[in-house]
Amino acid sequence: MAFSPAKDIIESIGGAANVVALTHCATRLRFTLKDASGIDLATVEGIPAVLGAVPQSGDRFQVVIGGAVETVYNEILALPEMKKIGTGESADDIKAAERAKGPRGKFAGLDTFFEVLSDSFRPILGALLGASLFITFMALMATLGVIPAWNAPGVTLEPGWAFINLMWQGVFVFLPLMVAYNASKRLGADPWVGFGIMAVVMLPGFSALAATDGAQTVFDGKAAIVSVFGLPLTVTDYSSQVFPPLLMAVVLGLLTKGLKKIIPSSVQLIFVPFLSMLVMIPVTAFLIGPIGVFGGAAIGEFLKSINDFSPLIFAIVIPLAYPFMVPLGLHWPLNAVMLLNIQSLGYDFIQGPMGAWNFACFGATAGVLFLAIRAKNSQMKQTATGALAAGLLGGISEPSLYGIHLRFKRIYPRMLVGCLVGGVIIGLGGGVTTNAFVFTSLLTIPAFNNIPLYALAVAASFFTAMILVILSGYLSPEQKAEAAAQLAADTAMEEAKHAPVAPVATPVAVASSTATAPAAGGTATMVATVLATIGSPVAGIVVPLADVPDPVFSKGIVGLGVGVDPTGDTVFAPAAGKVLVAQPTGHAFGLMLDGGIEMLIHVGIDTVNLAGKGFDVKVKAGDRVEAGTPLVTFDRAVIEEAGYSLVTPVLVTNPKKFGSIDQAATGQVAVGDALITVTAK
């Protein structure tokens, strides 16, 4: 069975009861929690599938997964305990709940702007990435001379290649509709209404208005002004535009909220969409659309003037700025400008210098991976491997950034040197452009003009950052000491697992003295001191701890012991002691046995979700119990019908006080039969 990290992740952040809402982006699980103060980052980041964890303002918390984020997200949603959480919320719901707690700072409005922008793009990153690889393929074929310049004006491709070319155009031509849907949803409006409004200005019939008699061409023939009921209507190509749908969604969100305040709820389903479209379609066509198109073009022209004035300065500033922009989400406006440049200019000049940042980022990750392999740090090796694969193959920097670089501050200065080297090479070479929006990865290098210059620059960025990280290391002195201690502990634990254990002939229930006996050849053999033998609290079949169907138990996170698959329906106290915890739901009991052994008996897996249904609790916290005192009776049929496992972990929760906690039986056991032996250190 494949390992699933879903359960571990939820338990590491305080359980399902601590989750207010959950969504995900391209690489990260995005939680809003009731209380994030008690989360142990080391525990979260120790989960094999987790690349890193990022606490945020308030009680927001991000877990970096990488390319498998959607799979892990779906697995979390499938957990029985998550069914009542309402985890299908959008990022809008999560952040709206957070904002309801109060202002988030002096620049809350600006913060919201960047959030809206990023949330409008996140859901479609997969489509953009897929389309960018089709673009790269076409560029590579043109470079190799297989096809003519596929994006040059007036070039006609044969039907087969023309069809392949359509595979990426479907995403970028209709990008405004995707952005309109996401942005409208983010801002509280009906996303399909936003989609429909934006679709009007993209209809062939709308574009055909430019051919109307009396139409006046403007902006170098890229737009036409026609008279509609005596009002001037600007007709232009809205394909690939992102600013018009964003502006439209802002106004639509405000209008929707206003209409819902004045229209009775019983008829809102009909009249809110109708009135929204009645108002917003002409407002978008006559006002918002042209403002978005030409306002965005002005921003692009401003950046182009800087690049034209000094490609060197521009190529240096962009990669040095990105490492600070990405963590704050400030890179999203530049992504929008890149798309607009391609639409208005036919090419983009930002993505080339941006590639220097990306590859410096990936190079630093490669350096960390090298050091992790050399230090035998399996956790960091896994984190860096996943982050490096996401970067080099997908052009995605977040796993590297959040999983590694922001956690180890020594990396940033070395990475910035790599950014600088790549930017200088691009600037001295006169700049690098591309005719399409692509993710800067190894696979998309052919999509850039002047491939040799771009390849040299990104290679220099990559290896500069990698070598500097390898030479200087990424750990501070304190982190090095901590890592060394952890490695020593892991090594000792691994050796202990394989060390021979002397057999105990007769388990006893009280402490015994250490005994030695001469072995063959006169060598004394040490026999472990058995402090106690714990009887089974329930009749059933013994299940090794590693096979208990819950990673939190099977990995020994809670304690050491065994599981029992019950054949009976009553759980008894295994020995004399005091009840520390008796959950009213009946699913778990904590005991302090005479002699100092702390026990946890957890009846079934995830049975807390039954809220006590099927359980009859016999004791309460503070009660004194003897061996054989009934703790709880449970209804097997109720638990099985709900789909939960009956396997009952029986664990010693303070194992560090003892030498070893060992399974003492296999197969069928009756109540009171020896189940666990506890030995002295």
Side-chain angles (χ1 to χ4, degrees):
M1 181 180 294
F3 170 74
S4 171
K7 186 75 176 178
D8 276 3
I9 291 172
I10 293 300
E11 291 294 338
S12 71
I13 61 173
N18 194 36
V19 179
V20 175
L22 167 66
T23 186
H24 73 90
C25 59
T27 59
R28 285 164 279 167
L29 298 170
R30 303 161 65 83
F31 290 94
T32 294
L33 305 174
K34 292 180 181 177
D35 181 10
S37 61
I39 294 178
D40 182 1
L41 286 180
T43 300
V44 181
E45 293 172 347
I47 298 171
V50 173
L51 301 180
V54 188
Q56 295 191 301
S57 61
D59 288 316
R60 296 183 300 160
F61 192 82
Q62 295 186 1
V63 180
V64 184
I65 301 296
V69 65
E70 186 171 0
T71 300
V72 175
Y73 173 78
N74 291 332
E75 290 175 352
I76 290 176
L77 295 189
L79 294 174
E81 61 264 41
M82 292 295 292
K83 291 181 180 178
K84 298 180 182 180
I85 302 301
T87 53
E89 290 92 347
S90 66
D92 177 27
D93 302 322
I94 292 176
K95 293 167 188 171
E98 180 63 31
R99 281 194 296 274
K101 300 177 183 178
R104 293 170 55 190
K106 295 181 179 179
F107 306 103
L110 188 62
D111 186 31
T112 299
F113 166 75
F114 288 119
E115 285 188 350
V116 171
L117 193 59
S118 61
D119 288 345
S120 300
F121 277 95
R122 281 194 189 101
I124 58 177
L125 283 181
L128 291 172
L129 177 57
S132 72
L133 294 182
F134 283 112
I135 293 171
T136 302
F137 175 73
M138 294 296 292
L140 179 61
M141 292 299 99
T143 300
L144 297 176
V146 177
I147 59 174
W150 55 281
N151 55 350
V155 172
T156 302
L157 299 173
E158 62 178 65
W161 288 105
F163 178 78
I164 294 176
N165 204 37
L166 293 175
M167 292 182 179
W168 69 265
Q169 292 183 26
V171 173
F172 286 98
V173 169
F174 296 108
L175 184 63
L177 302 180
M178 302 179 190
V179 173
Y181 179 96
N182 292 329
S184 298
K185 183 178 180 179
R186 171 63 179 78
L187 290 163
D190 187 328
W192 290 111
V193 171
F195 182 101
I197 293 169
M198 199 65 213
V200 171
V201 298
M202 297 189 68
L203 288 171
F206 181 83
S207 301
L209 294 175
T212 304
D213 290 341
Q216 179 184 0
T217 59
V218 293
F219 295 103
D220 298 326
K222 294 180 180 178
I225 296 179
V226 300
S227 177
V228 176
F229 299 119
L231 298 174
L233 173 66
T234 302
V235 179
T236 188
D237 182 9
Y238 285 93
S239 300
S240 303
Q241 296 284 346
V242 292
F243 286 105
L246 287 170
L247 294 175
M248 178 277 298
V250 171
V251 179
L252 176 62
L254 295 173
L255 177 62
T256 299
K257 292 177 182 177
L259 291 174
K260 286 184 176 180
K261 289 181 179 179
I262 62 176
I263 297 176
S265 58
S266 58
V267 293
Q268 284 182 2
L269 181 63
I270 300 173
F271 288 104
V272 170
F274 167 69
L275 293 176
S276 295
M277 297 176 73
L278 180 64
V279 173
M280 289 304 301
I281 289 175
V283 169
T284 300
F286 282 89
L287 186 63
I288 293 177
I291 289 175
V293 170
F294 302 117
I299 296 174
E301 285 293 337
F302 172 72
L303 292 176
K304 182 176 180 296
S305 65
I306 297 175
N307 185 58
D308 291 343
F309 173 74
S310 177
L312 178 60
I313 294 176
F314 190 85
I316 291 175
V317 169
I318 290 294
L320 288 178
Y322 256 85
F324 305 98
M325 295 171 64
V326 174
L328 299 174
L330 302 180
H331 62 300
W332 290 104
L334 277 183
N335 289 347
V337 173
M338 294 174 196
L339 289 161
L340 192 60
N341 285 339
I342 294 167
Q343 172 68 8
S344 59
L345 303 175
Y347 65 91
D348 174 62
F349 48 86
I350 301 175
Q351 294 174 74
M354 186 187 74
W357 130 253
N358 259 5
F359 277 87
C361 176
F362 308 149
T365 302
V368 171
L369 176 59
F370 176 87
L371 294 175
I373 293 173
R374 190 170 67 182
K376 298 180 181 179
N377 185 336
S378 58
Q379 180 179 331
M380 181 53 70
K381 175 183 174 182
Q382 177 175 317
T383 299
T385 299
L388 187 59
L392 293 180
L393 299 180
I396 300 174
S397 61
E398 281 86 347
S400 291
L401 192 63
Y402 289 105
I404 302 173
H405 303 345
L406 290 175
R407 293 165 53 197
F408 304 101
K409 298 301 190 292
R410 287 176 59 86
I411 294 176
Y412 249 67
R414 285 81 182 166
M415 182 173 64
L416 289 174
V417 175
C419 293
L420 176 63
V421 170
V424 168
I425 292 174
I426 289 175
L428 292 177
V432 173
T433 63
T434 179
N435 301 105
F437 182 84
V438 295
F439 288 69
T440 49
S441 69
L442 281 177
L443 302 179
T444 58
I445 289 177
F448 289 86
N449 300 319
N450 200 341
I451 294 176
L453 175 62
Y454 178 71
L456 174 63
V458 297
S461 294
F462 182 92
F463 287 108
T464 298
M466 182 183 75
I467 292 170
L468 289 176
V469 169
I470 291 174
L471 292 177
S472 66
Y474 66 96
L475 298 173
S476 66
E478 295 79 6
Q479 291 168 333
K480 286 181 180 179
E482 182 181 344
Q486 183 62 48
L487 179 60
D490 292 344
T491 302
M493 184 175 293
E494 189 65 25
E495 291 174 351
K497 288 180 181 178
H498 298 90
V501 179
V504 177
T506 306
V508 293
V510 294
S512 63
S513 60
T514 302
T516 60
T523 304
T525 302
M526 186 68 69
V527 179
T529 300
V530 178
L531 292 177
T533 298
I534 299 171
S536 178
V538 63
I541 301 171
V542 178
V543 177
L545 185 63
D547 295 335
V548 172
D550 186 330
V552 174
F553 296 122
S554 64
K555 294 168 64 176
I557 296 174
V558 176
L560 300 179
V562 299
V564 179
D565 194 354
T567 55
D569 62 359
T570 302
V571 177
F572 301 86
K578 181 180 179 181
V579 178
L580 298 179
V581 177
Q583 293 288 351
T585 55
H587 77 286
F589 297 84
L591 306 175
M592 172 63 79
L593 304 185
D594 293 348
I597 298 174
E598 295 178 6
M599 297 289 303
L600 170 67
I601 303 172
H602 196 285
V603 186
I605 304 299
D606 298 325
T607 46
V608 63
N609 298 313
L610 293 173
K613 182 180 179 183
F615 290 84
D616 183 13
V617 181
K618 308 293 186 182
V619 296
K620 63 182 183 298
D623 284 356
R624 171 76 186 178
V625 295
E626 302 296 331
T629 301
L631 301 178
V632 64
T633 298
F634 56 89
D635 189 333
R636 300 176 57 89
V638 171
I639 297 174
E640 291 173 342
E641 184 179 350
Y644 299 117
S645 170
L646 278 161
V647 172
T648 298
V650 182
L651 307 172
V652 175
T653 55
N654 58 343
K656 292 183 179 181
K657 292 186 177 181
F658 308 104
S660 65
I661 312 297
D662 302 307
Q663 179 179 326
T666 59
Q668 187 78 36
V669 290
V671 174
D673 285 354
L675 184 66
I676 298 171
T677 58
V678 180
T679 64
K681 283 189 175 181

